[in-house]
Amino acid sequence: MKQTVSLVEFRDAFRDAGRGDQFSYDGLKALYDFLGEDYELDVIALCCAYSEYDDVEEYADAYGLPYDTCPHCGDSMDVHESNTCPECEQSTIDEDAIMEQINNDTVHIPVANDSFIIMQY
């Protein structure tokens, strides 16, 4: 049975299912807005299908994206243990390239600041 729920009820459903920390407060609003009113609410299915990231760096860490060359100084990196170039000390994350990859490969839902939600495949 389909039932229209408000944003408050949507957030409460996650809390009641023990998944209140799965998404941020703003993330739940973004997901609610994205799904629209014509959606059968299944909290567990949503938690399996979508993930929220604070920023591109967290996403890169989660997926273990390799970086062979620093996008700032061009320094070659054999192995990187962090996302900081040992030569120029800047982030080795190429945010534009990663966001382009995300937008090409999956559903991207902007949340707030640099955070976003993606659909898992």
Side-chain angles (χ1 to χ4, degrees):
M1 172 173 69
K2 287 188 179 183
Q3 176 182 358
T4 302
V5 296
S6 69
L7 176 57
V8 171
E9 292 167 323
F10 185 77
R11 286 183 172 135
D12 288 348
F14 278 82
R15 184 197 64 226
D16 295 345
R19 301 294 182 120
D21 294 333
Q22 186 81 26
F23 297 96
S24 67
Y25 185 82
D26 290 332
L28 284 173
K29 180 178 183 338
L31 188 57
Y32 176 82
D33 290 343
F34 173 77
L35 294 171
E37 292 182 8
D38 190 23
Y39 182 80
E40 188 170 343
L41 179 57
D42 182 341
V43 171
I44 303 303
L46 290 173
C47 290
C48 292
Y50 295 91
S51 294
E52 183 175 3
Y53 297 93
D54 290 336
D55 53 32
V56 173
E57 188 167 326
E58 182 184 17
Y59 174 86
D61 287 343
Y63 284 89
L65 298 180
Y67 297 95
D68 300 331
T69 306
C70 173
H72 305 288
C73 71
D75 187 46
S76 265
M77 298 181 294
D78 294 329
V79 175
H80 79 279
E81 294 178 6
S82 72
N83 291 324
T84 303
C85 174
E87 183 66 30
C88 69
E89 299 181 0
Q90 293 192 52
S91 173
T92 59
I93 302 294
D94 185 344
E95 291 187 22
D96 292 336
I98 292 172
M99 288 309 297
E100 182 177 340
Q101 175 188 350
I102 290 169
N103 286 318
N104 288 336
D105 294 345
T106 189
V107 172
H108 170 258
I109 306 167
V111 176
N113 300 323
D114 293 335
S115 62
F116 57 92
I117 295 172
I118 64 162
M119 178 181 250
Q120 304 291 349
Y121 287 105

